[in-house]
């Protein structure tokens, strides 16, 4: 299982991107047990920004015209509390020699954001200064995120490819400071690798991909192409418990189109790292999984940054008793 959701202020499009770093984690490429599974994720994020990254939000909602020159002394703060539901079906019949799984994720929750500080605007020889506070919040549903994965196993080595995207049906208003939808479609694809040795309990996973963003017609704005990599490393202390580290890197590789001239290409970047712990346990004749992970962000550019946590509970078909490895669907939220 991997969740998909927009953070309230992240990257691209004046601080909001389709891809959320941390969506993949430990055992991401390991095959899973065929059948239906369901994952529920509680996600919290708290971020902040200043300067151009904060001003981009005022520009996005039309508070600063693109023809006006501005000097910026602004601060942005935002947070979100979201619940995600991710039903997924894993096919028993091989496809291209691998294991195919398809699913869709929906979300519901609350997002809030605020901007305060001083903005000085100039049109020719005329200057105007504004100091104040702008706040907004929303509780609603977000976009839909279909996904498909194809996985192959070769002993301790596991490989995968995936494709996912954004169907923009969630709550979005270009005049709002806080939204749960992103206002445009996107498609994302890539591949990953997992090393897992049941004899030693050592595991390492990495998944990398690219996002192509379609134009936001409400704003005549198109975010650039993004590159991202998520990774996880863990040690199984027993067949039911593991601990480890998770991390991610995110870098926009092409410019945005339609931004205010002061923002330039507005390419964004961020890194994150943190701890994780996971538990496996039976739920009747099914298998339950509980995971907690968190990230602290650093090296951010043109992007609000802060910290985020993921608490995941999933239930899936029980693995055969003869299987040593915990072959269940996880992305360690």
């Amino acid at each position: 299982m991997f969740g998909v959701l927009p953070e309230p202020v992240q990257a691209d499009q004046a601080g909001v991107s389709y891809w959320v770093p941390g969506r993949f984690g430990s055992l991401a490429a390991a095959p899973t047990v065929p059948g239906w599974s369901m994952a529920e994720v509680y996600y919290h994020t708290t971020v902040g920004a200043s300067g151009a990254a904060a001003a981009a939000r005022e520009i996005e909602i039309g508070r600063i015209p693109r023809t006006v020159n501005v000097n910026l002394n602004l601060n942005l703060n935002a947070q979100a509390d979201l619940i995600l539901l991710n039903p997924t079906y894993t096919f028993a019949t091989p496809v291209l020699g691998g294991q195919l799984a398809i699913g869709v994720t929906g979300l519901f929750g609350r997002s809030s954001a605020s901007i305060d500080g001083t903005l000085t605007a100039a049109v020719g020889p005329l200057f105007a200064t504004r100091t104040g506070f702008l706040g907004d919040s929303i509780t609603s549903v977000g976009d839909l995120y279909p996904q498909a994965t194809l996985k192959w196993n070769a002993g301790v080595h596991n490989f995968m490819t995936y494709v996912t995207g954004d169907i923009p049906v969630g709550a979005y208003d270009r005049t709002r400071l806080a939204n749960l939808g992103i206002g445009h479609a996107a498609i994302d694809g890539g591949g990953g690798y997992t090393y897992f040795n049941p004899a030693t309990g050592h595991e390492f996973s990495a998944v990398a991909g690219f996002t192509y963003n379609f134009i936001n017609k409400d704003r005549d704005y198109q975010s650039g192409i993004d590159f991202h990599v998520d990774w996880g490393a863990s040690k199984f202390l027993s067949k039911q418990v593991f601990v480890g580290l998770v991390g991610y890197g995110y870098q926009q590789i092409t410019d945005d189109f339609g931004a205010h001239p002061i923002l330039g290409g507005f390419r964004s970047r961020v890194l994150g790292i943190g701890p994780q712990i996971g538990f496996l346990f039976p739920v009747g004749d099914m298998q339950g999984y509980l995971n907690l992970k968190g990230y602290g962000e650093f090296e951010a550019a043109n992007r609000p940054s802060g910290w985020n946590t993921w608490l995941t509970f999933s239930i899936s078909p029980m693995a055969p008793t003869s299987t040593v490895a915990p072959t269940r669907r996880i992305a360690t939220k």
Side-chain angles (χ1 to χ4, degrees), residues 265-286:
F266 206 63
R267 298 191 186 190
S268 52
R269 178 187 71 248
V270 75
L271 302 175
I273 192 171
Q276 67 166 330
I277 184 170
F279 303 91
L280 297 168
F281 51 91
V283 180
D285 60 351
M286 303 289 282

Side-chain angles (χ1 to χ4, degrees), residues 7 10 19-25 43 47 228-233 245-251 269-275 293-301 303-310:
E7 290 188 58
Q10 276 297 357
W19 184 262
V20 178
R23 283 170 51 172
F24 287 107
Y43 175 80
V47 294
H228 51 83
V229 58
D230 296 338
W231 61 267
L245 293 174
V246 288
Y248 54 69
Y250 180 99
Q251 175 67 60
R269 178 187 71 248
V270 75
L271 302 175
I273 192 171
K293 68 178 183 179
Y295 298 88
E297 294 185 324
F298 58 99
E299 292 296 325
R303 174 188 183 94
S305 61
W307 60 274
N308 57 83
T309 58
W310 312 63

Side-chain angles (χ1 to χ4, degrees), residues 105-275:
T105 297
L107 69 90
F108 172 84
R110 176 181 172 82
S111 174
S112 62
S114 64
I115 294 177
D116 64 86
T118 301
L119 181 146
T120 302
V123 180
L126 303 178
F127 290 83
T129 299
R130 185 178 69 191
T131 299
F133 174 86
L134 177 65
D136 190 20
S137 64
I138 185 173
T139 300
S140 189
V141 298
D143 295 344
L144 290 177
Y145 311 98
Q147 59 199 11
T149 62
L150 193 58
K151 300 179 179 181
W152 298 266
N153 171 259
V156 298
H157 305 289
N158 303 272
F159 307 89
M160 71 169 287
T161 185
Y162 78 90
V163 63
T164 182
D166 185 289
I167 301 175
V169 296
Y172 175 79
D173 184 338
R174 65 149 296 171
T175 64
R176 296 188 65 105
L177 189 60
N179 282 295
L180 286 174
I182 61 174
H184 66 86
I187 187 168
D188 186 284
Y193 168 78
T194 290
Y195 170 86
F196 178 64
N197 188 333
T200 64
H202 292 135
E203 177 272 339
F204 174 78
S205 298
V207 181
F210 294 88
T211 302
Y212 178 82
N213 296 285
F214 294 91
I215 190 169
N216 183 329
K217 296 181 179 180
D218 289 337
R219 299 183 51 236
D220 192 25
Y221 191 108
Q222 185 172 19
S223 299
I225 296 173
D226 306 319
F227 170 77
H228 51 83
V229 58
D230 296 338
W231 61 267
S234 62
K235 166 66 175 177
F236 278 81
L237 305 179
S238 68
K239 291 183 179 180
Q240 289 75 40
V241 180
F242 70 86
V243 296
L245 293 174
V246 288
Y248 54 69
Y250 180 99
Q251 175 67 60
Q252 186 177 337
I253 60 176
T254 65
D255 292 347
D256 289 354
F257 296 94
H260 191 287
I262 194 174
L263 300 178
F266 206 63
R267 298 191 186 190
S268 52
R269 178 187 71 248
V270 75
L271 302 175
I273 192 171

